């Protein structure tokens, strides 16, 4: 009997499909389960590989996000995965899935966006593919490289490590909300900042490279599905627990105001919003300050300590302002989940 993938869920599906694969080649250093795959090609560095798509209606609103921005984000979400491994991006392949009535001008503008974002980070487009499809999608593959001693994985967090995050997660979710419903009373500048966070995420390549210069980062992931869910992947892969401090979370003021005006607890967006493309990481406690300084000096991006890693048995908790500890249950994006925004 056949049953739909939606009944299984995104992550169970990946596990089930991965189980059908044979043993990995000997040159595979990191396979399924991390932000990027890593392969041995040279004595001193690994080849990195990743792919992610932007699908009309799923990742962007048709007729709302300008095509140049759709292209830029398609490149940025891939660059973000290379950042999470501490690497440098090199070569893109661009697979275009196009309904026959797609406007050539729309596609040209989207392609300009891809090329622009790639060039900002020193990567080239070297090929791709075109196929007819029922729904428009830009599916990009990105290669990169990282020095062997500088690769950072989702596994590696240890009890006692501090948990840090770049920027202010939740802003992208606020930007999406703004595009879907009017929010009178929000200044134009505030509105622009939030919409930009959703449509034009900045891949944190430079921030990650600055951290690599300092050292001491033990695990890292990019926040695409939501801060709590993506930190959950670090916990799963590292075999550890987590204590997040609510009062330490970097809550953007405009985002908080918008959330409250819509009757949403801002922490819900910070922890579960998704689309942030910030980096969440763990680091040896003695290195946190040097990491914060290096990232700030190189990029101006804030890097905030938001909690600590604890033994797995201690579970995953959020410490509320009053000191009360509650289980961290905020769900992240699930492609086949119910209740999507
Ligand atoms: N169809 C697939 N076949 C094999 N591996 C997959 C497939 N889809 C996802 N993966 C792998 O599963 C892991 C989780 O995927 P995903 O959540 O999309 O990661 P990311 O947030 O880094 O894009 C990644 O290591 C990815 O390479
Ligand atoms: C129109 C629209 N609705 C909802 C969302 C929210 N959203 C869609 S996919 C996604 C998660 C990230 O995308 P995914 O393809 O899972 O990237 P990955 O985790 O594989 O990097 C989020 C938060 C959106 N970006 N746009
Ligand atoms: Mg993915």
């Amino acid at each position: 009997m056949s049953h739909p993938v939606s009944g299984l869920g995104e992550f169970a599906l990946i596990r089930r499909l991965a189980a059908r694969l044979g043993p990995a080649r000997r040159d595979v250093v990191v396979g399924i389960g991390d932000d990027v795959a890593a392969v041995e090609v040279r004595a001193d560095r690994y080849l990195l590989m990743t792919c992610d798509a932007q699908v009309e209606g799923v990742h962007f609103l048709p007729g709302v996000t300008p095509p140049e921005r759709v292209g830029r984000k398609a490149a940025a979400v891939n660059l973000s995965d290379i950042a999470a491994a501490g690497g440098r991006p090199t070569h893109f392949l661009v697979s275009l899935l196009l309904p026959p009535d797609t406007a050539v001008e729309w596609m040209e503008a989207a392609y300009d966006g891809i090329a622009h974002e790639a060039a900002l980070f020193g990567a080239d487009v070297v090929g791709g593919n075109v196929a007819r499809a029922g729904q428009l999608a830009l599916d990009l593959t990105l290669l990169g490289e990282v020095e062997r001693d500088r690769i950072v994985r989702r596994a590696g967090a240890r009890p006692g490590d501090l948990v840090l995050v770049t920027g202010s997660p939740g802003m992208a979710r606020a930007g999406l909300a703004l595009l879907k419903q009017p929010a009178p009373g929000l200044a134009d500048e505030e509105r622009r900042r939030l919409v930009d966070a959703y449509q034009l995420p900045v891949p944190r390549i430079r921030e990650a490279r600055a951290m690599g210069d300092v050292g001491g980062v033990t695990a890292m992931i990019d926040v695409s599905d939501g801060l709590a869910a993506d930190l959950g992947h670090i916990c799963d892969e590292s075999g550890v627990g987590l204590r997040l401090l609510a009062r330490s979370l970097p809550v953007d003021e405009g985002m908080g105001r918008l959330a409250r005006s819509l009757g949403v607890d801002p922490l819900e967006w910070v922890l579960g919003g998704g689309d942030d493309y910030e980096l969440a990481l763990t680091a040896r406690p003695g290195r946190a300050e040097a990491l914060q300084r290096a990232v700030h000096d190189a990029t101006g991006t804030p890097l905030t300590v938001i909690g600590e890693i604890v033994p797995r048995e201690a579970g995953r908790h959020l410490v509320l302002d009053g000191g009360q500890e509650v289980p961290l249950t905020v769900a992240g994006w699930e492609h086949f989940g119910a209740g999507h925004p």
Side-chain angles (χ1 to χ4, degrees):
M1 211 187 73
S2 74
H3 47 295
V5 291
S6 57
L8 206 52
E10 180 184 345
F11 295 103
L13 175 68
I14 294 171
R15 276 196 300 278
R16 192 148 150 177
L17 296 179
R20 307 184 72 83
L21 302 172
R25 284 167 51 105
R26 283 186 48 194
D27 58 358
V28 177
V29 180
V30 181
I32 294 173
D34 220 299
D35 290 86
V36 298
V39 170
E40 279 178 8
V41 280
R42 282 174 46 170
D44 60 337
R45 63 192 60 192
Y46 297 124
L47 169 67
L48 304 177
M49 293 175 254
T50 185
C51 63
D52 267 311
Q54 292 286 298
V55 180
E56 186 173 63
V58 175
H59 296 89
F60 64 94
L61 296 163
V64 175
T65 300
E68 212 251 344
R69 288 186 165 212
V70 175
R72 283 191 66 176
K73 186 164 174 180
V77 300
N78 280 279
L79 291 160
S80 177
D81 279 321
I82 296 287
R88 273 191 301 252
T90 57
H91 304 91
F92 274 104
L93 296 172
V94 179
S95 179
L96 304 176
L97 305 177
L98 301 179
D101 60 353
T102 306
V104 174
E105 295 73 17
W106 191 97
M107 200 52 249
E108 284 179 327
Y111 214 80
D112 286 347
I114 294 172
H116 178 80
E117 191 73 18
L120 284 179
F121 294 91
D124 272 5
V125 176
V126 293
N129 188 48
V130 176
R132 182 175 68 189
Q135 204 174 349
L136 189 147
L138 312 180
D139 193 3
L140 275 55
T141 299
L142 177 58
L143 306 186
E145 58 183 17
V146 66
E147 300 81 351
R148 278 182 184 231
D149 57 354
R150 284 179 58 156
I151 189 167
V152 186
R153 306 185 51 174
R154 292 178 181 180
R158 286 172 283 171
D161 287 353
L162 294 178
V163 179
L164 299 97
V165 71
T166 60
S168 299
M171 291 175 68
R173 182 64 187 79
L176 176 59
L178 276 175
L179 293 178
K180 293 182 111 175
Q181 62 206 98
L186 207 68
D188 281 355
E189 164 65 15
E190 198 86 278
R191 186 186 155 79
R192 195 184 52 77
R193 251 171 18 88
L194 296 174
V195 169
D196 283 359
Y198 165 64
Q199 292 182 333
L200 279 184
V202 179
R204 301 302 192 186
I205 297 272
R206 293 187 179 91
E207 289 76 1
R209 293 300 295 176
M211 288 190 254
D213 291 340
V214 173
V217 175
T218 50
M220 189 146 65
I221 189 167
D222 76 323
V223 182
S224 55
D225 292 338
L227 181 60
D230 285 320
L231 280 173
H233 291 312
I234 285 188
C235 291
D236 290 341
E237 296 298 322
S238 301
V240 295
L242 172 71
R243 268 178 97 238
L244 282 189
L245 304 175
R247 74 176 141 71
S248 302
L249 291 170
V251 181
D252 178 79
E253 207 186 301
M255 185 276 293
R257 221 174 318 116
L258 177 67
R260 280 186 291 271
S261 78
L262 297 174
V264 175
D265 179 350
L267 287 194
E268 218 172 282
W269 282 358
V270 173
L271 292 169
D275 274 314
D276 302 298
Y277 299 98
E278 298 293 352
L279 293 175
L281 56 127
T282 61
R284 300 309 296 161
R287 307 314 288 271
E289 260 179 51
L291 288 166
Q292 288 174 307
R293 206 171 325 114
V295 169
H296 180 269
D297 290 352
T299 65
T301 303
L303 177 64
T304 311
V305 175
I306 58 172
E308 63 174 346
I309 294 296
V310 295
R312 191 215 306 254
E313 309 75 65
R316 302 170 192 181
H317 291 91
L318 177 66
V319 184
L320 301 177
D321 286 356
Q324 188 195 356
E325 286 198 23
V326 296
L328 188 59
T329 53
V330 183
W333 178 268
E334 146 69 57
H335 271 287
F336 305 113
H340 282 154

